Amino acid sequence: MASRGAGGGAESGPRMAVLEGVLERITYANEENGYTVARVDTGRGGGELLTVVGSLLGAQVGESLRMEGRWGSHSQYGRQFTVENYTTVLPATVQGIRRYLGSGLVKGIGPVFADRITQHFGLDTLKIIEEEPKRLIEVPGLGPKRTKRIAEAWEEQKAIKEVMLFLQTVEVSTSIAVRIYKKYGDASISVVKNEPYRLAADVWGIGFLTADRIAQSVGIPHDSPERVKAGLQYALSQSADQGHCFLPEEQLIADAVKLLQVDTGLVIDCLAELAADEEGVVREQIPAPDGGGETVTAVYLVPFHRAEVSLAAQLRRLLNTGEDRLPAFHDVAWDKALSWLGDRTGAELAPEQEAAVRLALTRNVAVLTGGPGCGKSFTVRSIVELARAKRAKVVLAAPTGRAAKRLAELTGAEASTVHRLLELKPGGDAAYDRDRPLDADLVVVDEASMLDLLLANKLVKAVPPGAHLLFVGDVDQLPSVGAGEVLRDLLSEGSPVPAVRLTRIFRQAQQSGVVTNAHRINSGIPPVTQGLKDFFLFVEEDTEAAGRLTVDVAARRIPATFGLDPRRDVQVLAPMHRGPAGAGNLNGLLQQAITPTRPDLPEKRFGGRVFRVGDKVTQIRNNYEKGRNGVFNGTVGVVTSLSLDDQRLTVLTDEDEEVPYDFDELDELAHAYAVTIHRSQGSEYPAVVVPVTTGAWMMLQRNLLYTAVTRAKKLVVLVGSRRALGQAVRTVSAGRRCTALDFRLSGG
């Protein structure tokens, strides 16, 4: 069916040999370079499996392979076959055909139907599916609907194999080939050949570097203007991934020259062409981000420039409108109102909380910020109680499902994610905007430190004139995952948006080691790690050993000591993804400990990951086409079902929505037993475990550790070295992001 290269291979050494067998299982796969360790059944030796290694890109369990390569020996694993290239061949025995079809390779056929089909058609099975698929209806239990699905899946599989075959020289993974095919269908090969840089813009998972590799293989010149323009846009999108809304022109040119290895003059010319294109980039003179009085030429990707200009304009519009949808609070008797509120809530507001309540109900846009234990939640509840007492329409939202749930529990009113509130549609357009605003008198957005520029712009556009908008968040936490620093810009000097910062820690909160240590860390003072019932440090200097200890603490010790559920109540938060104590490695170890493989339950291997029922998972990209109103980066859930027949699993998200994923969409999911601290923003967990090791030295910063600690409601356990902990507490994050929202808000 298809033949592919599997790595270069040296000319010297053992002689080339040929090995044929059925791919029984993949024991390791590196998603980035395709290197695979697998076991094959050669049909000899009573079912004994042989180990093969190499880039088995696109090979699926159940396929019959004809592999060319060399025999060798591994000191630990013994005799093995190194594959240099391979061909997939259709199996020639009934048993092989049954195994092939039952592997989940063809959607709609699992082990049960594979058995029935091969019993009915025998050796002619694959010929029937290929040439006369309508005859599948002869098989008991296969109705017209499933028969049609199987025929379509077979055709799609063949077409994807063709794309895979074409992409063999550029080492594109199976999941990427599937995405290319789903995007372009029969035009896939034409697009890859003639417009490879389109892939970086159109296909999720393909960045400039992959598109560039493909472009070079199809003969596009190194100094092609098309390549340079794509490289410039890639450099800007990379900076957006790091949080910047723009790059200074000089820095962008330098980055592009380094990336593309071309002349500076060519980059400057191509940048000028992009700036002349309405959909290219925008250049604008703005004050330098370091605030030294200089100006810089900022270069934006168009969507970020539009969003920044629009967000500033919309906020100023709300601030300066003559309308007010909460007029009752302009001449309210505050003493009486606050006395009524105290009776209703059973507690009095502190002076700074009272100031925040008045501000939110009398000004059209306001910000409430402060650390843990300072009463932000009670203040929000008080604002909502008073607004509802005046029959105001109150809308509550937060960037994540968990934060929205917490907001609803706190206020006793319905709350939703910002995405769901705006009813974002495929493509990212919102159902609510300036032309069709929300029906609201007061809009409260919690965890506002998570709002990135694009989402904040969509939200503010949908607030009607005269409505009050309150941003609530902790500005000392990490900024948003997406580009921008919206909350910090709203609070910047010269901002016209009024704000209250709560600073007093309430007595009840002072008894919490989690709260007091969070404030110590935020002030640059090391946390107290002895003598507390809810804050611990397990010292382990070695990074690898710290990773293993982290798993033991999260999966066994905390559940045994505190009676917490290791999947639902305990979250491991790692400073980085890579390394022995990184989220990637810890996820594998935690899955083994919490959701181990069971012979009676199906599982699906995808790339380097295995998915099982019960797995805790997270969405790693915004997908506007999944679920009722899209599923967004950071959404967490649990796998509730997995069908090899339908090649699909279902995730119950933390918004209580069941979302199906076809197996070829599994690169949108990652395990979430451990997540990076960046990914944990907006979430709260009963217990958090944080590996703090010298292996993550470059990431160890005060706001990172502060964010991790403030995710915990009851318990924090740090695992690692005192030296690494000291580094995190001492190091203030380097520099502001490149944004100009504060400049635009202050009248620029």
Side-chain angles (χ1 to χ4, degrees), residues 314-327 329-330 356-367 440-445 460 463-471 490 496-499:
Q314 302 295 341
L315 285 166
R316 290 164 69 87
R317 170 180 69 90
L318 291 175
L319 283 163
N320 299 329
T321 181
E323 301 174 53
D324 193 341
R325 295 179 65 146
L326 293 177
F329 290 101
H330 282 288
V357 170
R358 289 188 184 215
L359 190 70
L361 295 172
T362 58
R363 298 293 294 272
N364 288 74
V365 185
V367 176
D441 302 319
L442 170 66
V443 179
V444 179
V445 189
V460 176
V463 177
H468 289 224
L469 173 60
L470 176 65
F471 295 99
L490 292 175
V497 179

Side-chain angles (χ1 to χ4, degrees), residues 54 77 143 189 199 248 275 367 400 402 459 491 523 581 658 671 712:
Y77 303 110
I189 290 172
L199 300 173
V367 176
T400 67
R402 279 177 182 242
L459 171 67
L491 290 164
S523 303
E658 289 209 319
H671 290 101

Side-chain angles (χ1 to χ4, degrees), residues 19-20 41-48 50:
L19 177 69
E20 292 191 359
D41 183 355
T42 59
R44 309 184 208 112
E48 186 187 340
L50 281 169

Side-chain angles (χ1 to χ4, degrees), residues 185-202:
D186 294 339
S188 297
I189 290 172
S190 169
V191 171
V192 169
K193 262 186 187 171
N194 302 313
E195 305 172 87
Y197 291 106
R198 262 182 72 187
L199 300 173
D202 292 353

Side-chain angles (χ1 to χ4, degrees), residues 272-290:
E273 283 182 39
L274 275 175
D277 179 352
E278 277 186 16
E279 297 303 318
V281 300
V282 176
R283 288 197 289 200
E284 185 183 0
Q285 289 292 122
I286 60 164
D290 59 15

Side-chain angles (χ1 to χ4, degrees), residues 458-662:
K458 286 186 170 78
L459 171 67
V460 176
K461 263 188 194 172
V463 177
H468 289 224
L469 173 60
L470 176 65
F471 295 99
V472 183
D474 184 347
V475 75
D476 294 320
Q477 286 183 27
L478 289 167
S480 55
V481 174
E485 230 170 351
V486 174
L487 187 63
R488 192 174 292 277
D489 285 340
L490 292 175
L491 290 164
S492 63
E493 196 179 333
S495 166
V497 179
V500 170
R501 181 166 193 146
L502 304 180
T503 54
R504 175 186 157 193
I505 306 173
F506 286 88
R507 189 181 305 134
Q508 189 181 351
Q510 287 173 3
Q511 294 162 7
S512 159
V514 175
V515 170
T516 52
N517 274 335
H519 284 278
R520 286 174 71 93
I521 290 164
N522 201 30
S523 303
I525 305 165
V528 175
T529 56
Q530 289 177 315
L532 297 173
K533 294 177 183 175
D534 59 354
F535 201 104
F536 302 90
L537 170 64
F538 284 55
V539 177
E540 177 50 74
E541 296 297 331
D542 179 71
T543 300
E544 209 162 309
R548 290 193 298 271
L549 180 55
T550 297
V551 172
D552 191 45
V553 167
R556 299 182 188 89
R557 297 194 196 190
I558 289 177
T561 308
F562 295 93
L564 296 174
D565 182 293
R567 190 184 286 108
R568 186 186 64 239
D569 301 329
V570 183
Q571 184 63 55
V572 173
L573 302 179
M576 55 198 289
H577 183 76
R578 293 170 185 265
N585 185 53
L586 294 178
N587 263 317
L589 298 173
L590 285 160
Q591 185 192 34
Q592 286 171 27
I594 296 169
T595 317
T597 186
R598 280 175 44 187
D600 57 325
L601 284 180
E603 56 182 44
K604 171 63 182 173
R605 176 174 284 278
F606 187 92
R609 300 193 279 268
V610 179
F611 291 94
R612 302 180 183 129
V613 171
D615 270 339
K616 186 176 180 179
V617 291
T618 181
Q619 173 82 9
I620 57 173
R621 69 173 286 230
N622 288 347
N623 186 334
Y624 295 96
E625 294 172 21
K626 290 201 84 64
R628 288 195 298 274
N629 291 112
V631 182
F632 299 93
N633 189 354
T635 300
V636 175
V638 173
V639 177
T640 52
S641 68
L642 190 154
S643 166
L644 295 176
D645 276 18
D646 296 330
Q647 289 195 47
R648 176 176 287 186
L649 58 77
T650 304
V651 174
L652 179 65
T653 72
D654 52 12
E655 292 177 63
D656 296 322
E657 181 180 4
E658 289 209 319
V659 180
Y661 288 79
D662 289 340

Side-chain angles (χ1 to χ4, degrees), residues 22 64 90-100 118 122-126:
V22 176
S64 295
L90 293 175
T93 66
V94 171
Q95 185 187 352
I97 293 168
R98 184 187 301 122
R99 177 81 179 84
Y100 176 68
T118 48
L123 284 172
D124 291 332
T125 295
L126 299 179

